PDB file of all heavy atoms in Angstrom:
ATOM      1  N   SER A   1     -38.320  43.747 -13.508  1.00  0.00           N
ATOM      2  CA  SER A   1     -37.250  44.695 -13.817  1.00  0.00           C
ATOM      3  C   SER A   1     -37.066  44.829 -15.317  1.00  0.00           C
ATOM      4  O   SER A   1     -36.926  43.828 -16.021  1.00  0.00           O
ATOM      5  CB  SER A   1     -35.929  44.243 -13.192  1.00  0.00           C
ATOM      6  OG  SER A   1     -34.866  45.044 -13.664  1.00  0.00           O
ATOM      7  N   VAL A   2     -37.050  46.066 -15.790  1.00  0.00           N
ATOM      8  CA  VAL A   2     -36.815  46.277 -17.217  1.00  0.00           C
ATOM      9  C   VAL A   2     -35.351  46.042 -17.570  1.00  0.00           C
ATOM     10  O   VAL A   2     -35.010  45.934 -18.748  1.00  0.00           O
ATOM     11  CB  VAL A   2     -37.268  47.677 -17.683  1.00  0.00           C
ATOM     12  CG1 VAL A   2     -38.770  47.839 -17.538  1.00  0.00           C
ATOM     13  CG2 VAL A   2     -36.522  48.771 -16.949  1.00  0.00           C
ATOM     14  N   LEU A   3     -34.492  45.935 -16.566  1.00  0.00           N
ATOM     15  CA  LEU A   3     -33.062  45.707 -16.818  1.00  0.00           C
ATOM     16  C   LEU A   3     -32.709  44.232 -16.927  1.00  0.00           C
ATOM     17  O   LEU A   3     -31.817  43.868 -17.695  1.00  0.00           O
ATOM     18  CB  LEU A   3     -32.225  46.350 -15.713  1.00  0.00           C
ATOM     19  CG  LEU A   3     -32.352  47.857 -15.557  1.00  0.00           C
ATOM     20  CD1 LEU A   3     -31.516  48.341 -14.380  1.00  0.00           C
ATOM     21  CD2 LEU A   3     -31.957  48.568 -16.838  1.00  0.00           C
ATOM     22  N   THR A   4     -33.387  43.382 -16.146  1.00  0.00           N
ATOM     23  CA  THR A   4     -32.971  41.978 -16.083  1.00  0.00           C
ATOM     24  C   THR A   4     -34.027  40.966 -16.524  1.00  0.00           C
ATOM     25  O   THR A   4     -33.689  39.813 -16.757  1.00  0.00           O
ATOM     26  CB  THR A   4     -32.537  41.621 -14.648  1.00  0.00           C
ATOM     27  OG1 THR A   4     -33.649  41.837 -13.763  1.00  0.00           O
ATOM     28  CG2 THR A   4     -31.350  42.461 -14.209  1.00  0.00           C
ATOM     29  N   ASP A   5     -35.276  41.373 -16.612  1.00  0.00           N
ATOM     30  CA  ASP A   5     -36.346  40.418 -16.874  1.00  0.00           C
ATOM     31  C   ASP A   5     -36.836  40.407 -18.322  1.00  0.00           C
ATOM     32  O   ASP A   5     -37.838  39.775 -18.630  1.00  0.00           O
ATOM     33  CB  ASP A   5     -37.530  40.676 -15.941  1.00  0.00           C
ATOM     34  CG  ASP A   5     -37.157  40.438 -14.490  1.00  0.00           C
ATOM     35  OD1 ASP A   5     -36.294  39.577 -14.228  1.00  0.00           O
ATOM     36  OD2 ASP A   5     -37.720  41.115 -13.618  1.00  0.00           O
ATOM     37  N   PHE A   6     -36.143  41.122 -19.182  1.00  0.00           N
ATOM     38  CA  PHE A   6     -36.504  41.147 -20.597  1.00  0.00           C
ATOM     39  C   PHE A   6     -35.337  40.633 -21.420  1.00  0.00           C
ATOM     40  O   PHE A   6     -34.186  40.925 -21.134  1.00  0.00           O
ATOM     41  CB  PHE A   6     -36.857  42.574 -21.045  1.00  0.00           C
ATOM     42  CG  PHE A   6     -38.188  43.036 -20.559  1.00  0.00           C
ATOM     43  CD1 PHE A   6     -38.346  43.504 -19.266  1.00  0.00           C
ATOM     44  CD2 PHE A   6     -39.297  42.993 -21.393  1.00  0.00           C
ATOM     45  CE1 PHE A   6     -39.573  43.932 -18.801  1.00  0.00           C
ATOM     46  CE2 PHE A   6     -40.533  43.419 -20.939  1.00  0.00           C
ATOM     47  CZ  PHE A   6     -40.671  43.885 -19.639  1.00  0.00           C
ATOM     48  N   GLU A   7     -35.654  39.855 -22.445  1.00  0.00           N
ATOM     49  CA  GLU A   7     -34.644  39.330 -23.345  1.00  0.00           C
ATOM     50  C   GLU A   7     -35.069  39.701 -24.758  1.00  0.00           C
ATOM     51  O   GLU A   7     -36.145  39.302 -25.209  1.00  0.00           O
ATOM     52  CB  GLU A   7     -34.557  37.810 -23.187  1.00  0.00           C
ATOM     53  CG  GLU A   7     -33.386  37.192 -23.891  1.00  0.00           C
ATOM     54  CD  GLU A   7     -33.277  35.717 -23.537  1.00  0.00           C
ATOM     55  OE1 GLU A   7     -33.160  35.400 -22.343  1.00  0.00           O
ATOM     56  OE2 GLU A   7     -33.337  34.907 -24.481  1.00  0.00           O
ATOM     57  N   ASN A   8     -34.261  40.518 -25.427  1.00  0.00           N
ATOM     58  CA  ASN A   8     -34.604  41.011 -26.768  1.00  0.00           C
ATOM     59  C   ASN A   8     -35.973  41.695 -26.787  1.00  0.00           C
ATOM     60  O   ASN A   8     -36.811  41.431 -27.638  1.00  0.00           O
ATOM     61  CB  ASN A   8     -34.565  39.880 -27.803  1.00  0.00           C
ATOM     62  CG  ASN A   8     -33.191  39.277 -27.926  1.00  0.00           C
ATOM     63  OD1 ASN A   8     -32.187  39.982 -27.876  1.00  0.00           O
ATOM     64  ND2 ASN A   8     -33.135  37.968 -28.077  1.00  0.00           N
ATOM     65  N   ASN A   9     -36.197  42.564 -25.803  1.00  0.00           N
ATOM     66  CA  ASN A   9     -37.448  43.325 -25.661  1.00  0.00           C
ATOM     67  C   ASN A   9     -38.675  42.458 -25.401  1.00  0.00           C
ATOM     68  O   ASN A   9     -39.800  42.889 -25.612  1.00  0.00           O
ATOM     69  CB  ASN A   9     -37.698  44.219 -26.872  1.00  0.00           C
ATOM     70  CG  ASN A   9     -36.667  45.316 -26.972  1.00  0.00           C
ATOM     71  OD1 ASN A   9     -36.214  45.835 -25.955  1.00  0.00           O
ATOM     72  ND2 ASN A   9     -36.286  45.662 -28.180  1.00  0.00           N
ATOM     73  N   THR A  10     -38.484  41.231 -24.964  1.00  0.00           N
ATOM     74  CA  THR A  10     -39.583  40.325 -24.652  1.00  0.00           C
ATOM     75  C   THR A  10     -39.478  39.921 -23.192  1.00  0.00           C
ATOM     76  O   THR A  10     -38.418  39.479 -22.739  1.00  0.00           O
ATOM     77  CB  THR A  10     -39.526  39.067 -25.537  1.00  0.00           C
ATOM     78  OG1 THR A  10     -39.570  39.476 -26.909  1.00  0.00           O
ATOM     79  CG2 THR A  10     -40.673  38.136 -25.238  1.00  0.00           C
ATOM     80  N   PHE A  11     -40.587  40.082 -22.465  1.00  0.00           N
ATOM     81  CA  PHE A  11     -40.599  39.670 -21.065  1.00  0.00           C
ATOM     82  C   PHE A  11     -40.445  38.166 -20.978  1.00  0.00           C
ATOM     83  O   PHE A  11     -41.155  37.413 -21.639  1.00  0.00           O
ATOM     84  CB  PHE A  11     -41.892  40.117 -20.385  1.00  0.00           C
ATOM     85  CG  PHE A  11     -42.024  39.605 -18.977  1.00  0.00           C
ATOM     86  CD1 PHE A  11     -41.066  39.888 -18.021  1.00  0.00           C
ATOM     87  CD2 PHE A  11     -43.116  38.839 -18.626  1.00  0.00           C
ATOM     88  CE1 PHE A  11     -41.192  39.415 -16.728  1.00  0.00           C
ATOM     89  CE2 PHE A  11     -43.262  38.369 -17.338  1.00  0.00           C
ATOM     90  CZ  PHE A  11     -42.288  38.654 -16.386  1.00  0.00           C
ATOM     91  N   THR A  12     -39.495  37.742 -20.184  1.00  0.00           N
ATOM     92  CA  THR A  12     -39.228  36.329 -19.991  1.00  0.00           C
ATOM     93  C   THR A  12     -39.457  35.994 -18.522  1.00  0.00           C
ATOM     94  O   THR A  12     -38.565  36.188 -17.694  1.00  0.00           O
ATOM     95  CB  THR A  12     -37.773  35.986 -20.391  1.00  0.00           C
ATOM     96  OG1 THR A  12     -37.511  36.548 -21.682  1.00  0.00           O
ATOM     97  CG2 THR A  12     -37.545  34.504 -20.428  1.00  0.00           C
ATOM     98  N   PRO A  13     -40.658  35.533 -18.161  1.00  0.00           N
ATOM     99  CA  PRO A  13     -40.925  35.253 -16.754  1.00  0.00           C
ATOM    100  C   PRO A  13     -40.061  34.112 -16.235  1.00  0.00           C
ATOM    101  O   PRO A  13     -39.791  33.147 -16.943  1.00  0.00           O
ATOM    102  CB  PRO A  13     -42.405  34.888 -16.720  1.00  0.00           C
ATOM    103  CG  PRO A  13     -42.780  34.570 -18.117  1.00  0.00           C
ATOM    104  CD  PRO A  13     -41.798  35.240 -19.019  1.00  0.00           C
ATOM    105  N   THR A  14     -39.639  34.270 -15.005  1.00  0.00           N
ATOM    106  CA  THR A  14     -38.838  33.256 -14.337  1.00  0.00           C
ATOM    107  C   THR A  14     -39.723  32.523 -13.332  1.00  0.00           C
ATOM    108  O   THR A  14     -40.814  32.991 -13.013  1.00  0.00           O
ATOM    109  CB  THR A  14     -37.657  33.907 -13.602  1.00  0.00           C
ATOM    110  OG1 THR A  14     -38.180  34.788 -12.594  1.00  0.00           O
ATOM    111  CG2 THR A  14     -36.757  34.678 -14.565  1.00  0.00           C
ATOM    112  N   PRO A  15     -39.273  31.391 -12.813  1.00  0.00           N
ATOM    113  CA  PRO A  15     -40.080  30.694 -11.795  1.00  0.00           C
ATOM    114  C   PRO A  15     -40.466  31.598 -10.600  1.00  0.00           C
ATOM    115  O   PRO A  15     -41.602  31.510 -10.139  1.00  0.00           O
ATOM    116  CB  PRO A  15     -39.190  29.519 -11.379  1.00  0.00           C
ATOM    117  CG  PRO A  15     -38.417  29.207 -12.630  1.00  0.00           C
ATOM    118  CD  PRO A  15     -38.122  30.564 -13.235  1.00  0.00           C
ATOM    119  N   PRO A  16     -39.575  32.487 -10.116  1.00  0.00           N
ATOM    120  CA  PRO A  16     -40.025  33.383  -9.037  1.00  0.00           C
ATOM    121  C   PRO A  16     -41.157  34.329  -9.452  1.00  0.00           C
ATOM    122  O   PRO A  16     -42.040  34.636  -8.648  1.00  0.00           O
ATOM    123  CB  PRO A  16     -38.763  34.175  -8.673  1.00  0.00           C
ATOM    124  CG  PRO A  16     -37.632  33.284  -9.061  1.00  0.00           C
ATOM    125  CD  PRO A  16     -38.115  32.576 -10.304  1.00  0.00           C
ATOM    126  N   HIS A  17     -41.170  34.775 -10.727  1.00  0.00           N
ATOM    127  CA  HIS A  17     -42.276  35.613 -11.209  1.00  0.00           C
ATOM    128  C   HIS A  17     -43.590  34.826 -11.194  1.00  0.00           C
ATOM    129  O   HIS A  17     -44.625  35.339 -10.752  1.00  0.00           O
ATOM    130  CB  HIS A  17     -42.033  36.097 -12.646  1.00  0.00           C
ATOM    131  CG  HIS A  17     -40.977  37.125 -12.773  1.00  0.00           C
ATOM    132  ND1 HIS A  17     -39.867  36.923 -13.553  1.00  0.00           N
ATOM    133  CD2 HIS A  17     -40.841  38.362 -12.226  1.00  0.00           C
ATOM    134  CE1 HIS A  17     -39.096  37.991 -13.495  1.00  0.00           C
ATOM    135  NE2 HIS A  17     -39.662  38.879 -12.680  1.00  0.00           N
ATOM    136  N   VAL A  18     -43.530  33.609 -11.675  1.00  0.00           N
ATOM    137  CA  VAL A  18     -44.726  32.769 -11.737  1.00  0.00           C
ATOM    138  C   VAL A  18     -45.235  32.493 -10.326  1.00  0.00           C
ATOM    139  O   VAL A  18     -46.444  32.578 -10.049  1.00  0.00           O
ATOM    140  CB  VAL A  18     -44.434  31.457 -12.498  1.00  0.00           C
ATOM    141  CG1 VAL A  18     -45.621  30.510 -12.444  1.00  0.00           C
ATOM    142  CG2 VAL A  18     -44.051  31.760 -13.940  1.00  0.00           C
ATOM    143  N   ALA A  19     -44.320  32.201  -9.408  1.00  0.00           N
ATOM    144  CA  ALA A  19     -44.715  31.939  -8.020  1.00  0.00           C
ATOM    145  C   ALA A  19     -45.320  33.188  -7.379  1.00  0.00           C
ATOM    146  O   ALA A  19     -46.346  33.102  -6.691  1.00  0.00           O
ATOM    147  CB  ALA A  19     -43.511  31.457  -7.215  1.00  0.00           C
ATOM    148  N   ALA A  20     -44.701  34.335  -7.606  1.00  0.00           N
ATOM    149  CA  ALA A  20     -45.216  35.583  -7.034  1.00  0.00           C
ATOM    150  C   ALA A  20     -46.593  35.904  -7.585  1.00  0.00           C
ATOM    151  O   ALA A  20     -47.489  36.335  -6.845  1.00  0.00           O
ATOM    152  CB  ALA A  20     -44.249  36.736  -7.304  1.00  0.00           C
ATOM    153  N   LEU A  21     -46.803  35.686  -8.877  1.00  0.00           N
ATOM    154  CA  LEU A  21     -48.118  35.938  -9.468  1.00  0.00           C
ATOM    155  C   LEU A  21     -49.160  35.000  -8.876  1.00  0.00           C
ATOM    156  O   LEU A  21     -50.273  35.420  -8.531  1.00  0.00           O
ATOM    157  CB  LEU A  21     -48.073  35.798 -10.991  1.00  0.00           C
ATOM    158  CG  LEU A  21     -49.398  36.043 -11.703  1.00  0.00           C
ATOM    159  CD1 LEU A  21     -49.921  37.460 -11.437  1.00  0.00           C
ATOM    160  CD2 LEU A  21     -49.245  35.799 -13.197  1.00  0.00           C
ATOM    161  N   GLY A  22     -48.804  33.741  -8.718  1.00  0.00           N
ATOM    162  CA  GLY A  22     -49.730  32.773  -8.122  1.00  0.00           C
ATOM    163  C   GLY A  22     -50.126  33.175  -6.704  1.00  0.00           C
ATOM    164  O   GLY A  22     -51.310  33.144  -6.344  1.00  0.00           O
ATOM    165  N   LYS A  23     -49.146  33.566  -5.900  1.00  0.00           N
ATOM    166  CA  LYS A  23     -49.439  33.981  -4.524  1.00  0.00           C
ATOM    167  C   LYS A  23     -50.289  35.245  -4.505  1.00  0.00           C
ATOM    168  O   LYS A  23     -51.208  35.378  -3.686  1.00  0.00           O
ATOM    169  CB  LYS A  23     -48.140  34.206  -3.752  1.00  0.00           C
ATOM    170  CG  LYS A  23     -47.405  32.928  -3.427  1.00  0.00           C
ATOM    171  CD  LYS A  23     -46.101  33.208  -2.701  1.00  0.00           C
ATOM    172  CE  LYS A  23     -45.367  31.934  -2.378  1.00  0.00           C
ATOM    173  NZ  LYS A  23     -44.090  32.191  -1.697  1.00  0.00           N
ATOM    174  N   THR A  24     -49.973  36.189  -5.388  1.00  0.00           N
ATOM    175  CA  THR A  24     -50.739  37.436  -5.440  1.00  0.00           C
ATOM    176  C   THR A  24     -52.186  37.159  -5.825  1.00  0.00           C
ATOM    177  O   THR A  24     -53.120  37.650  -5.187  1.00  0.00           O
ATOM    178  CB  THR A  24     -50.101  38.424  -6.439  1.00  0.00           C
ATOM    179  OG1 THR A  24     -48.736  38.651  -6.060  1.00  0.00           O
ATOM    180  CG2 THR A  24     -50.835  39.748  -6.454  1.00  0.00           C
ATOM    181  N   LEU A  25     -52.394  36.364  -6.873  1.00  0.00           N
ATOM    182  CA  LEU A  25     -53.757  36.036  -7.309  1.00  0.00           C
ATOM    183  C   LEU A  25     -54.517  35.263  -6.234  1.00  0.00           C
ATOM    184  O   LEU A  25     -55.704  35.526  -5.994  1.00  0.00           O
ATOM    185  CB  LEU A  25     -53.726  35.242  -8.613  1.00  0.00           C
ATOM    186  CG  LEU A  25     -53.304  36.029  -9.849  1.00  0.00           C
ATOM    187  CD1 LEU A  25     -53.125  35.093 -11.042  1.00  0.00           C
ATOM    188  CD2 LEU A  25     -54.291  37.127 -10.166  1.00  0.00           C
ATOM    189  N   ASP A  26     -53.839  34.328  -5.564  1.00  0.00           N
ATOM    190  CA  ASP A  26     -54.486  33.579  -4.487  1.00  0.00           C
ATOM    191  C   ASP A  26     -54.962  34.517  -3.386  1.00  0.00           C
ATOM    192  O   ASP A  26     -56.075  34.379  -2.869  1.00  0.00           O
ATOM    193  CB  ASP A  26     -53.534  32.534  -3.896  1.00  0.00           C
ATOM    194  CG  ASP A  26     -53.307  31.344  -4.813  1.00  0.00           C
ATOM    195  OD1 ASP A  26     -54.073  31.179  -5.789  1.00  0.00           O
ATOM    196  OD2 ASP A  26     -52.351  30.582  -4.549  1.00  0.00           O
ATOM    197  N   GLN A  27     -54.116  35.498  -3.026  1.00  0.00           N
ATOM    198  CA  GLN A  27     -54.508  36.447  -1.990  1.00  0.00           C
ATOM    199  C   GLN A  27     -55.657  37.340  -2.443  1.00  0.00           C
ATOM    200  O   GLN A  27     -56.574  37.611  -1.667  1.00  0.00           O
ATOM    201  CB  GLN A  27     -53.321  37.317  -1.568  1.00  0.00           C
ATOM    202  CG  GLN A  27     -52.374  36.636  -0.619  1.00  0.00           C
ATOM    203  CD  GLN A  27     -51.404  37.624  -0.010  1.00  0.00           C
ATOM    204  OE1 GLN A  27     -51.053  38.639  -0.605  1.00  0.00           O
ATOM    205  NE2 GLN A  27     -50.955  37.321   1.188  1.00  0.00           N
ATOM    206  N   VAL A  28     -55.618  37.797  -3.679  1.00  0.00           N
ATOM    207  CA  VAL A  28     -56.701  38.644  -4.180  1.00  0.00           C
ATOM    208  C   VAL A  28     -58.023  37.872  -4.151  1.00  0.00           C
ATOM    209  O   VAL A  28     -59.059  38.411  -3.718  1.00  0.00           O
ATOM    210  CB  VAL A  28     -56.403  39.172  -5.600  1.00  0.00           C
ATOM    211  CG1 VAL A  28     -57.639  39.779  -6.239  1.00  0.00           C
ATOM    212  CG2 VAL A  28     -55.278  40.189  -5.561  1.00  0.00           C
ATOM    213  N   LEU A  29     -58.006  36.632  -4.565  1.00  0.00           N
ATOM    214  CA  LEU A  29     -59.235  35.824  -4.542  1.00  0.00           C
ATOM    215  C   LEU A  29     -59.726  35.593  -3.117  1.00  0.00           C
ATOM    216  O   LEU A  29     -60.930  35.709  -2.833  1.00  0.00           O
ATOM    217  CB  LEU A  29     -59.013  34.490  -5.256  1.00  0.00           C
ATOM    218  CG  LEU A  29     -58.816  34.584  -6.766  1.00  0.00           C
ATOM    219  CD1 LEU A  29     -58.413  33.229  -7.342  1.00  0.00           C
ATOM    220  CD2 LEU A  29     -60.064  35.116  -7.441  1.00  0.00           C
ATOM    221  N   ALA A  30     -58.815  35.275  -2.201  1.00  0.00           N
ATOM    222  CA  ALA A  30     -59.203  35.037  -0.813  1.00  0.00           C
ATOM    223  C   ALA A  30     -59.769  36.303  -0.173  1.00  0.00           C
ATOM    224  O   ALA A  30     -60.809  36.264   0.497  1.00  0.00           O
ATOM    225  CB  ALA A  30     -58.005  34.519  -0.015  1.00  0.00           C
ATOM    226  N   TRP A  31     -59.098  37.423  -0.368  1.00  0.00           N
ATOM    227  CA  TRP A  31     -59.581  38.689   0.200  1.00  0.00           C
ATOM    228  C   TRP A  31     -60.893  39.107  -0.445  1.00  0.00           C
ATOM    229  O   TRP A  31     -61.774  39.663   0.219  1.00  0.00           O
ATOM    230  CB  TRP A  31     -58.530  39.789   0.024  1.00  0.00           C
ATOM    231  CG  TRP A  31     -57.486  39.751   1.099  1.00  0.00           C
ATOM    232  CD1 TRP A  31     -56.351  38.992   1.121  1.00  0.00           C
ATOM    233  CD2 TRP A  31     -57.496  40.499   2.314  1.00  0.00           C
ATOM    234  NE1 TRP A  31     -55.656  39.235   2.274  1.00  0.00           N
ATOM    235  CE2 TRP A  31     -56.330  40.164   3.023  1.00  0.00           C
ATOM    236  CE3 TRP A  31     -58.365  41.433   2.856  1.00  0.00           C
ATOM    237  CZ2 TRP A  31     -56.022  40.719   4.254  1.00  0.00           C
ATOM    238  CZ3 TRP A  31     -58.058  41.990   4.080  1.00  0.00           C
ATOM    239  CH2 TRP A  31     -56.902  41.631   4.776  1.00  0.00           C
ATOM    240  N   SER A  32     -61.043  38.861  -1.736  1.00  0.00           N
ATOM    241  CA  SER A  32     -62.290  39.207  -2.416  1.00  0.00           C
ATOM    242  C   SER A  32     -63.458  38.431  -1.813  1.00  0.00           C
ATOM    243  O   SER A  32     -64.536  38.986  -1.579  1.00  0.00           O
ATOM    244  CB  SER A  32     -62.198  38.917  -3.908  1.00  0.00           C
ATOM    245  OG  SER A  32     -61.277  39.787  -4.510  1.00  0.00           O
ATOM    246  N   ALA A  33     -63.243  37.161  -1.568  1.00  0.00           N
ATOM    247  CA  ALA A  33     -64.295  36.338  -0.963  1.00  0.00           C
ATOM    248  C   ALA A  33     -64.607  36.828   0.449  1.00  0.00           C
ATOM    249  O   ALA A  33     -65.779  36.922   0.837  1.00  0.00           O
ATOM    250  CB  ALA A  33     -63.864  34.874  -0.940  1.00  0.00           C
ATOM    251  N   ALA A  34     -63.579  37.162   1.209  1.00  0.00           N
ATOM    252  CA  ALA A  34     -63.791  37.635   2.581  1.00  0.00           C
ATOM    253  C   ALA A  34     -64.519  38.975   2.613  1.00  0.00           C
ATOM    254  O   ALA A  34     -65.331  39.226   3.506  1.00  0.00           O
ATOM    255  CB  ALA A  34     -62.446  37.749   3.302  1.00  0.00           C
ATOM    256  N   LEU A  35     -64.254  39.825   1.650  1.00  0.00           N
ATOM    257  CA  LEU A  35     -64.880  41.150   1.619  1.00  0.00           C
ATOM    258  C   LEU A  35     -66.282  41.138   1.017  1.00  0.00           C
ATOM    259  O   LEU A  35     -67.000  42.137   1.091  1.00  0.00           O
ATOM    260  CB  LEU A  35     -63.996  42.119   0.835  1.00  0.00           C
ATOM    261  CG  LEU A  35     -62.676  42.497   1.513  1.00  0.00           C
ATOM    262  CD1 LEU A  35     -61.762  43.204   0.523  1.00  0.00           C
ATOM    263  CD2 LEU A  35     -62.931  43.363   2.731  1.00  0.00           C
ATOM    264  N   ALA A  36     -66.686  40.026   0.421  1.00  0.00           N
ATOM    265  CA  ALA A  36     -67.997  39.958  -0.232  1.00  0.00           C
ATOM    266  C   ALA A  36     -69.125  40.271   0.739  1.00  0.00           C
ATOM    267  O   ALA A  36     -70.071  40.990   0.390  1.00  0.00           O
ATOM    268  CB  ALA A  36     -68.201  38.589  -0.871  1.00  0.00           C
ATOM    269  N   THR A  37     -69.061  39.759   1.954  1.00  0.00           N
ATOM    270  CA  THR A  37     -70.132  40.022   2.917  1.00  0.00           C
ATOM    271  C   THR A  37     -70.182  41.499   3.292  1.00  0.00           C
ATOM    272  O   THR A  37     -71.263  42.044   3.503  1.00  0.00           O
ATOM    273  CB  THR A  37     -69.961  39.173   4.188  1.00  0.00           C
ATOM    274  OG1 THR A  37     -68.652  39.408   4.733  1.00  0.00           O
ATOM    275  CG2 THR A  37     -70.119  37.701   3.889  1.00  0.00           C
ATOM    276  N   LEU A  38     -69.038  42.144   3.337  1.00  0.00           N
ATOM    277  CA  LEU A  38     -69.009  43.579   3.629  1.00  0.00           C
ATOM    278  C   LEU A  38     -69.648  44.374   2.494  1.00  0.00           C
ATOM    279  O   LEU A  38     -70.404  45.313   2.733  1.00  0.00           O
ATOM    280  CB  LEU A  38     -67.564  44.037   3.850  1.00  0.00           C
ATOM    281  CG  LEU A  38     -67.344  45.468   4.287  1.00  0.00           C
ATOM    282  CD1 LEU A  38     -68.085  45.772   5.577  1.00  0.00           C
ATOM    283  CD2 LEU A  38     -65.865  45.739   4.456  1.00  0.00           C
ATOM    284  N   ARG A  39     -69.367  43.967   1.257  1.00  0.00           N
ATOM    285  CA  ARG A  39     -69.978  44.652   0.103  1.00  0.00           C
ATOM    286  C   ARG A  39     -71.490  44.486   0.111  1.00  0.00           C
ATOM    287  O   ARG A  39     -72.235  45.422  -0.141  1.00  0.00           O
ATOM    288  CB  ARG A  39     -69.376  44.149  -1.204  1.00  0.00           C
ATOM    289  CG  ARG A  39     -67.953  44.620  -1.447  1.00  0.00           C
ATOM    290  CD  ARG A  39     -67.507  44.326  -2.857  1.00  0.00           C
ATOM    291  NE  ARG A  39     -67.550  42.915  -3.206  1.00  0.00           N
ATOM    292  CZ  ARG A  39     -66.578  42.037  -2.965  1.00  0.00           C
ATOM    293  NH1 ARG A  39     -65.466  42.419  -2.361  1.00  0.00           N
ATOM    294  NH2 ARG A  39     -66.706  40.776  -3.336  1.00  0.00           N
ATOM    295  N   VAL A  40     -71.974  43.290   0.441  1.00  0.00           N
ATOM    296  CA  VAL A  40     -73.410  43.043   0.504  1.00  0.00           C
ATOM    297  C   VAL A  40     -74.034  43.884   1.609  1.00  0.00           C
ATOM    298  O   VAL A  40     -75.078  44.499   1.407  1.00  0.00           O
ATOM    299  CB  VAL A  40     -73.704  41.531   0.722  1.00  0.00           C
ATOM    300  CG1 VAL A  40     -75.154  41.302   1.057  1.00  0.00           C
ATOM    301  CG2 VAL A  40     -73.302  40.748  -0.509  1.00  0.00           C
TER     302      VAL A  40
END
């Protein structure tokens, strides 16, 4: 959110942001591996 997640025009990630990014990246990596055989 540009209203609540920035402090003095600097993005300040919170623990929920870090957790969400970790889960998102984990899913992207898992799905990428699963789709590799389809790409081949």
